[in-house]
Amino acid sequence: MDPLEAALILVAGTAAGTINAAVGSGSLITFPTLLAFGIPPVTANISNNIGLVPGGVASVWGYRRELADQRRRLLVLGSMSVLGGVVGAVLLLVLPASAFRSVVPVLIAVAVVLVALQPWIQRRLARRRDGRQARADIGPGAMVATALVGVYGGYFGGAQGILLVGVLGTLMTESLQRLNALKNGLVTAVNTVAAVTFLVVAPGQVDWRVVALIAVGSTVGGLIGSRIGRRLPQPVLRAVIVVVGLLAIVNLLRPA
């Protein structure tokens, strides 16, 4: 790795950390960058996952105010994220990459539609609930959805934040900013447990130079992104999520 490649990976890590905190799908910047420099796909995916963990922690810290009264959600849904993340990480090591990669664009498209329609969906759901029921939103649906997104996140990870916001936004009567904060906590849980799994099961697949560069960049980016994301009005944040999601689909559908 020459100095220019190292600098570009550092910049990509910073951009990914920023986007992950504010929206999600930062891996769709770092992962293609690593592939472009000739790093094998599995090694790139694993190293990228580990490197993004510090950025996730930074984004959670940046959103700590919005998370202060969501500890129960983090505990319950976080446990499902951890379970799904372990399953996804193991699947990455035993299944061909094409197994999940073929359905990723469809999953992101569904998430984008859910985010775009979130206000309408929540209004419809609110008509069927009283105030007490609307706050009791950690039901089986949210738990299963969080676990499934965790599987996807442990396996590949790109745009798992958009998937989470899209799915949970249809199941919870909550503002987009607070959902975004919750998303950062759950995604960080998935990435952390997946990273631990990789380190235990396949330590030889880790490129520590890449990990270090992305870790530094994503930490800086996580702090920047949390400040940007918290200041965006909900309609603007929703529009940004939709645009990033569509760009992610285009990126994934491009011929290799």
Side-chain angles (χ1 to χ4, degrees):
M1 183 186 301
D2 60 40
L4 177 59
E5 290 179 349
L8 290 175
I9 292 174
L10 180 65
V11 170
T14 304
T18 303
I19 293 174
N20 276 341
V23 180
S25 82
S27 289
L28 298 178
I29 294 177
T30 46
F31 185 66
T33 299
L34 299 179
L35 294 182
F37 291 144
I39 298 173
V42 174
T43 298
N45 198 10
I46 290 175
S47 303
N48 178 60
N49 177 288
I50 297 173
L52 288 175
V53 170
V57 174
S59 68
V60 170
W61 172 257
Y63 271 94
R64 62 192 181 280
R65 187 168 65 191
E66 287 79 5
L67 287 170
D69 60 347
Q70 298 195 73
R71 293 177 182 175
R72 180 171 177 270
R73 285 177 176 172
L74 279 175
L75 180 62
V76 176
L77 298 182
S79 64
M80 303 307 295
S81 291
V82 167
L83 177 62
V86 171
V87 173
V90 172
L91 288 177
L92 175 65
L93 299 174
V94 301
L95 293 180
S98 59
F100 271 31
R101 190 71 182 269
S102 60
V103 301
V104 168
V106 177
L107 293 175
I108 299 175
V110 171
V112 166
V113 171
L114 290 176
V115 171
L117 296 180
Q118 182 192 3
W120 179 81
I121 293 172
Q122 288 194 346
R123 284 195 298 269
R124 291 294 298 268
L125 291 176
R127 294 172 188 169
R128 302 179 183 180
R129 301 170 174 170
D130 58 32
R132 179 182 59 81
Q133 292 173 323
R135 290 190 291 272
D137 50 20
I138 309 178
M143 295 174 67
V144 171
T146 302
L148 291 176
V149 176
V151 173
Y152 166 78
Y155 185 90
F156 177 62
Q160 65 169 311
I162 291 178
L163 285 171
L164 269 175
V165 171
V167 173
L168 295 182
T170 66
L171 300 172
M172 296 180 175
T173 305
E174 191 57 272
S175 73
L176 196 58
Q177 287 290 1
R178 284 168 55 81
L179 283 175
N180 200 43
L182 180 62
K183 172 266 294 180
N184 285 341
L186 297 178
V187 168
T188 300
V190 171
N191 288 345
T192 300
V193 71
V196 172
T197 303
F198 295 143
L199 291 173
V200 172
V201 178
Q205 295 277 18
V206 180
D207 187 325
W208 287 106
R209 300 168 301 172
V210 170
V211 170
L213 290 168
I214 293 180
V216 172
S218 68
T219 300
V220 175
L223 295 173
I224 295 173
S226 60
R227 292 179 65 87
I228 293 174
R230 291 175 68 245
R231 294 177 179 178
L232 290 177
Q234 287 208 57
V236 175
L237 181 59
R238 181 172 290 108
V240 171
I241 292 174
V242 170
V243 170
V244 172
L246 293 175
L247 291 176
I249 295 171
V250 172
N251 180 281
L252 290 167
L253 290 177
R254 286 189 308 176

